[in-house]
Amino acid sequence: MTLAAPVRLSEPACGQPAQPSPATWQHGGVTAATHSSLFPRVPDSADAVLEGLDPEQREVATALHGPVCVLAGAGTGKTRAITHRIAYGVRAGILQPSTVLAVTFTNRAAGEMRGRLRQLGAQGVQARTFHSAALRQLQYFWPKAIGGGLPRIVDRKAQLVAEAAATCGTRLDRGELRDVTAEIEWCKVTQTVPADYPYAAAKAGREAPRDPGEISHLYAAYEDLKRDRAVIDFEDVLLLTVAILQDRADIAAQVRAQYQHFVVDEYQDVSPLQQRLLDLWLGDRESLCVVGDASQTIYSFTGATPDHLLDFRARHPGATVVKLVRDYRSTPQVVRLANGLLAQARGRAADHRLELVSQRAPGPDPLYTEYTDEPAEAEGAARRIRELIDAGVPAAEIAVLFRTNAQSETYEQALADAGVPYQLRGAERFFDRPEIRRAGAALRAAARFGANDSLLDDADDLPSQVRAVLSGEGWTAAPPAGSGAVRERWESLTALVNLAQDLTAARPGAGLGDFVTELDERAGAQHAPTVQGVTLASLHAAKGLEWDVVFLAGVAEGMLPITYARTDEQIEEERRLLYVGVTRARERLHVSWALSRSPGGRPSRRPSRFLAGLRPGTTATVGATGSGAAGGVERGTGASTAAAPRRVQRTPARCRVCGRTLTDAGDMKLMRCEDCPSDMDEGLYERLREWRAAQAARSGQPDFCVFTDRTLMAIAEARPESAADLSRIPGVLSRKLRGYGPDVLAICAGQEPDGGVDGD
């Protein structure tokens, strides 16, 4: 294994973090990784695609063969690196565009990737979300694999969950309905069947919104209701695609012939189900590039896990690993705080953290402010934002980020009182707004029949034409007085006017038809133009975004970390969430907290433990030791070693009765299809159930914590005669084999168990 030369750093001055020494690539005009002009000129050759990349980004772009893992810190230009990699491969004739599939997690990210590839001259590459790619394959192959048309996908899952609850005689309030729906989604992406939910939830340390057994019944009723109505949900798209690819070798071969090279963005957010689908797409090939950052894993509650990223080298011993640590987004002051947060972290993700090195000029230190109560905190932020806007900072370059959506209302009111325009991130999507739909229709009509439209008589360029058309929809050059819905509509239409100006600057000859095409492409990708308003967003919704100025609100114990984060893993995810918030800021960062929730309340709150040792006058807590990883390249060995075992190829499980491939986790536990004949010993099953009840009562835990019903059924069908036989039954882990094995084998042999030690 060889390591590329690290970033060369000069001596720091005046206590500032070190800056990179000037190098050829910098003098050659490298641009900030997260900043580029809106409509850049298409490179004229493959080599031109590489211009402006730093050494590590260039390593990513030119590593076109074999497995590649890109560990990319916040603001280091990961999307830039992988889109230039694809474009370089296409322009050099190494990759055929139609054989490349790039997958990510949001429509916005996929749309941004498609846009960048188009600007680099790499048209024809498929850039999609996991669900979008799976849905296309499912729609195409369903008639061949199953017959008939694909069932309808439910668009309101919560409503179906509510109906399922009603059939169980359970009434859920709005919050419970949302939480139970989220639990069902988690079950499906982790491939947990209804009967196994209580055990799986306990093992994962999940806070169930209702009794786990009750959720298990609700989940089963929900699945029954879907079957009765012949509908599927969002997660079924992945599950069914996996089932078809796993069961039909001919269809899997057809997909693999189409897609021969894969790129996966945000790989730290991959769920077990998505990884399973990716494995089926790949087959026995290793033409794969993944990019991610374990320190930005903030969606584990949805089933996402960084293990696939952290284990990549073990699964692919020949992989090239490139570490991107040059931060082009944030000032040294912001980067120092971000590095400090992770320096105190614990756990596996912390062991693989990256030490960012800012590439920007110094800026102001982060500001820390304590307020008496939450309304005062919101008013203080609104006052500072008003001052920034008056000083020339665009409102669109300012964001207020908070832990929960419930915190938004206080800031909405404070900004409205200060006369500051704002937009809610995660609210109604830009292209779904009524005024944008009407504006799009008017612009489309003007593009088609503009010669006969008197509104366009005096409009001789694209911006003036767009302004003329939108004036018919109520747009005015001056903003309306006040705030509210009228101001929000004006801000939306103004975003279209500004986009027209940007398009004209990039393509002087562009007309209304070109503008409408641009809007259609953006709508398909949900790539909204910039709205001139301060962004209000939760920390989760802010992932992947950035602003010149960021206000981190409510950074207090009980909010960050949130009250219900109790385990070490949950606490560390809260720390990573704050890290994501900090790294959204380019230049200025304001961190605040309130001592009480409401005016006159008892000042019992205190600043977040995560700020200890980072804000002035505090002492650091003990955390991770050592420094983070530096940038560079690690070459794969090309062969398995003891430290990096060869990737294990799992064979599909098959029914021991009919031989069909099993995809349901419950069926795999029984090793037969649910509908296939069972040779279970009913008497043995009942004796095992009675023994389990006695064990559970003795240990004071639920029955399923001893063994689930499915596991007992599997034992009663297999009738094991030895510990080796028993250990081969799914669900009989080594701990349970030691604790319960003698009793279970005695019962299977028709003897009385001695009622010995429990499973712990």
Side-chain angles (χ1 to χ4, degrees):
M1 165 185 318
T2 59
L3 187 64
V7 181
R8 184 185 295 272
L9 301 176
S10 58
E11 288 298 316
C14 302
Q16 298 296 328
Q19 298 293 315
S21 299
T24 304
W25 59 270
Q26 288 174 310
H27 291 306
V30 68
T31 57
T34 53
H35 273 75
S36 61
S37 66
L38 191 60
F39 300 101
R41 192 170 296 171
V42 175
D44 57 11
S45 67
D47 288 341
V49 172
L50 302 178
E51 292 177 1
L53 298 181
D54 69 31
E56 292 77 31
Q57 291 171 347
R58 183 178 286 253
E59 286 282 355
V60 175
T62 55
L64 295 172
H65 300 288
V68 177
C69 179
V70 184
L71 302 177
T76 58
K78 66 179 182 63
T79 305
R80 177 185 178 89
I82 58 176
T83 51
H84 280 68
R85 178 182 189 271
I86 296 170
Y88 176 71
V90 169
R91 298 293 295 275
I94 299 171
L95 303 177
Q96 293 300 313
S98 61
T99 66
V100 180
L101 178 60
V103 288
T104 186
F105 287 83
T106 67
N107 287 325
R108 183 190 62 80
E112 180 185 357
M113 196 177 293
R114 284 195 296 271
R116 292 199 190 195
L117 290 170
R118 186 174 71 246
Q119 293 161 2
L120 292 169
Q123 294 90 339
V125 173
Q126 292 291 311
R128 298 186 172 278
T129 65
F130 269 100
H131 281 85
S132 173
L135 180 58
R136 280 173 63 91
Q137 294 174 20
L138 195 60
Q139 289 170 328
Y140 184 81
F141 291 112
W142 186 271
K144 179 179 179 180
I146 309 297
L150 181 69
R152 179 177 64 86
I153 301 175
V154 294
D155 53 0
R156 298 184 64 186
K157 183 186 300 177
Q159 181 176 336
L160 208 60
V161 173
E163 293 182 45
T167 65
C168 297
T170 301
R171 184 179 179 85
L172 302 174
D173 61 31
R174 182 178 297 180
E176 289 175 322
L177 179 59
R178 180 193 64 236
D179 293 343
V180 169
T181 301
E183 287 302 287
I184 290 175
E185 291 173 349
W186 175 81
C187 286
K188 302 189 81 163
V189 301
T190 56
Q191 303 165 82
T192 301
V193 297
D196 290 345
Y197 170 75
Y199 173 75
K203 184 178 180 181
R206 294 185 72 81
E207 288 279 345
R210 303 277 293 221
D211 177 76
E214 191 175 13
I215 293 179
S216 177
H217 289 304
L218 285 174
Y219 178 16
Y222 169 76
E223 291 296 312
D224 290 341
L225 198 57
K226 283 198 293 124
R227 261 191 303 272
D228 292 343
R229 297 187 181 178
V231 297
I232 60 176
D233 62 23
F234 200 54
E235 288 70 39
D236 288 332
V237 171
L238 296 185
L239 285 163
L240 291 169
T241 305
V242 164
I244 288 175
L245 294 178
Q246 188 168 274
D247 203 48
R248 292 288 299 267
D250 57 330
I251 292 176
Q254 193 171 341
V255 171
R256 291 167 191 161
Q258 170 68 55
Y259 295 117
Q260 300 171 20
H261 189 89
F262 296 87
V263 177
V264 185
D265 193 12
E266 302 288 2
Y267 194 56
Q268 77 278 354
D269 291 332
V270 166
S271 71
L273 180 57
Q274 289 164 333
Q275 180 62 47
R276 191 172 177 188
L277 177 59
L278 180 61
D279 287 339
L280 287 166
W281 281 341
L282 277 167
D284 59 0
R285 301 167 300 174
E286 291 200 318
S287 186
L288 171 67
C289 173
V290 302
V291 58
D293 179 10
S295 297
Q296 296 188 68
T297 305
I298 59 173
Y299 297 109
S300 66
F301 60 91
T302 68
T305 170
D307 289 345
H308 304 299
L309 176 68
L310 298 178
D311 292 338
F312 192 84
R313 195 59 173 280
R315 289 164 57 87
H316 304 274
T320 297
V321 178
V322 185
K323 297 173 182 176
L324 305 183
V325 298
R326 303 177 198 260
D327 186 325
Y328 298 94
R329 177 187 298 159
S330 305
T331 63
Q333 286 75 11
V334 173
V335 167
R336 185 190 302 125
L337 176 57
N339 286 336
L341 276 172
L342 294 187
Q344 300 181 20
R346 296 181 175 89
R348 193 175 182 214
D351 293 340
H352 293 79
R353 68 189 179 88
L354 299 169
E355 186 86 15
L356 300 178
V357 181
S358 176
Q359 308 294 291
R360 298 196 57 178
D365 287 327
L367 293 178
Y368 301 89
T369 309
E370 184 176 275
Y371 292 93
T372 56
D373 52 65
E374 288 183 3
E377 183 181 8
E379 290 166 8
R383 187 165 54 251
R384 282 179 167 165
I385 290 171
R386 179 76 268 172
E387 293 170 354
L388 288 167
I389 293 174
D390 291 342
V393 178
E397 291 298 344
I398 304 173
V400 180
L401 307 181
F402 29 73
R403 177 61 179 83
T404 67
N405 288 319
Q407 295 169 267
S408 173
E409 185 176 355
T410 305
Y411 286 87
E412 292 177 52
Q413 185 61 53
L415 292 174
D417 291 344
V420 174
Y422 64 86
Q423 59 172 328
L424 294 175
R425 182 79 191 178
E428 184 181 35
R429 297 195 295 187
F430 181 84
F431 290 102
D432 291 338
R433 297 175 186 175
E435 65 270 19
I436 296 302
R437 287 182 177 275
R438 289 193 296 269
L443 288 164
R444 198 168 286 106
R448 189 176 302 167
F449 309 112
N452 299 319
D453 192 337
S454 59
L455 277 173
L456 303 182
D457 287 348
D458 298 324
D460 54 4
D461 60 10
L462 177 58
S464 60
Q465 289 172 347
V466 171
R467 286 193 293 267
V469 172
L470 296 184
S471 66
E473 299 299 316
W475 180 81
T476 58
S483 57
V486 174
R487 177 67 182 238
E488 288 180 12
R489 285 194 294 271
W490 183 87
E491 295 285 359
S492 297
L493 296 177
T494 299
L496 298 182
V497 173
N498 293 337
L499 184 64
Q501 293 171 344
D502 291 332
L503 181 57
T504 299
R507 306 178 202 162
L512 268 179
D514 300 311
F515 185 68
V516 168
T517 299
E518 179 69 24
L519 284 182
D520 288 342
E521 290 176 351
R522 284 171 169 266
Q526 286 300 322
H527 183 195
T530 302
V531 175
Q532 288 302 318
V534 172
T535 299
L536 298 178
S538 70
L539 288 165
H540 285 103
K543 178 77 163 59
L545 303 174
E546 59 189 76
W547 297 269
D548 285 346
V549 186
V550 169
F551 288 77
L552 293 177
V555 188
E557 286 292 305
M559 197 60 73
L560 263 174
I562 199 77
T563 305
Y564 52 76
R566 297 188 179 93
T567 67
D568 290 343
E569 292 82 1
Q570 291 168 340
I571 295 294
E572 287 308 314
E573 180 147 339
E574 293 290 300
R575 187 193 307 274
R576 293 194 296 269
L577 194 56
L578 181 56
Y579 172 80
V580 167
V582 168
T583 54
R584 299 311 95 194
R586 298 191 194 110
E587 298 173 6
R588 297 174 182 269
L589 184 64
H590 298 255
V591 182
S592 64
W593 59 92
L595 297 178
S596 66
R597 180 174 182 180
S598 55
R602 187 164 62 91
S604 58
R605 293 180 176 177
R606 56 191 177 90
S608 170
R609 71 190 76 173
F610 300 145
L611 299 179
L614 302 177
R615 63 188 181 93
T618 59
T619 304
T621 57
V622 178
T625 58
S627 59
V633 183
E634 297 173 5
R635 307 293 180 189
T637 61
S640 62
T641 64
R646 185 178 300 277
R647 179 185 176 192
V648 177
Q649 298 291 337
R650 292 181 297 175
T651 57
R654 297 191 179 277
C655 175
R656 55 187 167 82
V657 179
C658 69
R660 183 180 175 85
T661 299
L662 300 176
T663 58
D664 181 88
D667 293 350
M668 285 189 276
K669 184 170 285 189
L670 295 175
M671 291 307 294
R672 65 170 174 82
C673 302
E674 184 177 7
D675 299 332
C676 282
S678 169
D679 54 356
M680 182 177 72
D681 183 330
E682 296 286 351
L684 174 57
Y685 178 63
E686 289 305 318
R687 290 196 298 276
L688 288 169
R689 283 173 57 88
E690 292 172 3
W691 165 82
R692 180 183 67 176
Q695 285 288 334
R698 184 194 310 174
S699 60
Q701 58 185 346
D703 288 1
F704 67 81
C705 288
V706 180
F707 284 122
T708 65
D709 286 345
R710 287 290 182 107
T711 300
L712 292 186
M713 290 174 65
I715 293 172
E717 290 184 356
R719 294 184 287 277
E721 297 180 353
S722 66
D725 293 340
L726 184 59
S727 68
R728 284 192 284 270
I729 297 175
V732 183
L733 305 178
S734 58
R735 177 177 60 83
K736 295 194 175 187
L737 183 65
R738 291 193 304 271
Y740 299 134
D743 278 8
V744 171
L745 290 172
I747 295 170
C748 290
Q751 304 167 0
E752 286 297 320
D754 62 13
V757 297
D758 63 34
D760 292 326

